[in-house]
Amino acid sequence: SGSMITPAFRPVGPAFIIEARRPNGSLLMNFNRPFTITIRYDAGEATGLDEPGLSLYYRGSAAEQWQVITTTHGANVLTTTVDHLTQFAVLGAAQTSYTVYLPLIMR
């Protein structure tokens, strides 16, 4: 059996943290009702990535692995519904198509 090649993932824009605080200043991490996050991105930041495959990911800390969130796509817009706040990032897989240039030999 051969090894499976996993495409390289890279971010579209910086990772970001969304916080909500109670009036006393303490962090509010989970919500009783889900809410929608809408992210607009510059298509230039997604160059070389499989743009239809872009998704929002989250992780609780820098030591944790990124977890994918079901994401809806629009024109340079990603939308998802979550019930918690944490660190988020838009990630995409590198396109797997390659261009090969061969030398032209003339006599």
Side-chain angles (χ1 to χ4, degrees):
S1 72
S3 63
M4 186 173 156
I5 298 173
T6 303
F9 277 80
R10 72 173 172 80
V12 175
F16 57 95
I17 296 173
I18 300 175
E19 290 183 347
R21 296 192 177 267
R22 295 179 180 90
N24 68 5
S26 64
L27 281 175
L28 180 59
M29 302 296 290
N30 296 301
F31 297 83
N32 294 332
R33 299 171 75 181
F35 57 94
T36 301
I37 297 176
T38 301
I39 299 165
R40 290 168 176 49
Y41 65 91
D42 183 335
E45 294 178 318
T47 301
L49 296 178
D50 173 27
E51 201 166 343
L54 293 178
S55 289
L56 188 64
Y57 288 72
Y58 76 93
R59 67 182 180 184
S61 72
E64 293 180 24
Q65 293 291 321
W66 288 105
Q67 303 293 319
V68 68
I69 303 171
T70 301
T71 307
T72 303
H73 298 261
N76 298 345
V77 175
L78 301 176
T79 305
T80 190
T81 302
V82 297
D83 63 358
H84 66 285
L85 294 176
T86 188
Q87 183 177 23
F88 297 97
V90 175
L91 300 175
Q95 290 178 340
T96 55
S97 60
Y98 299 95
T99 302
V100 177
Y101 297 95
L102 301 173
L104 177 63
I105 301 173
M106 297 179 70
R107 289 185 188 198

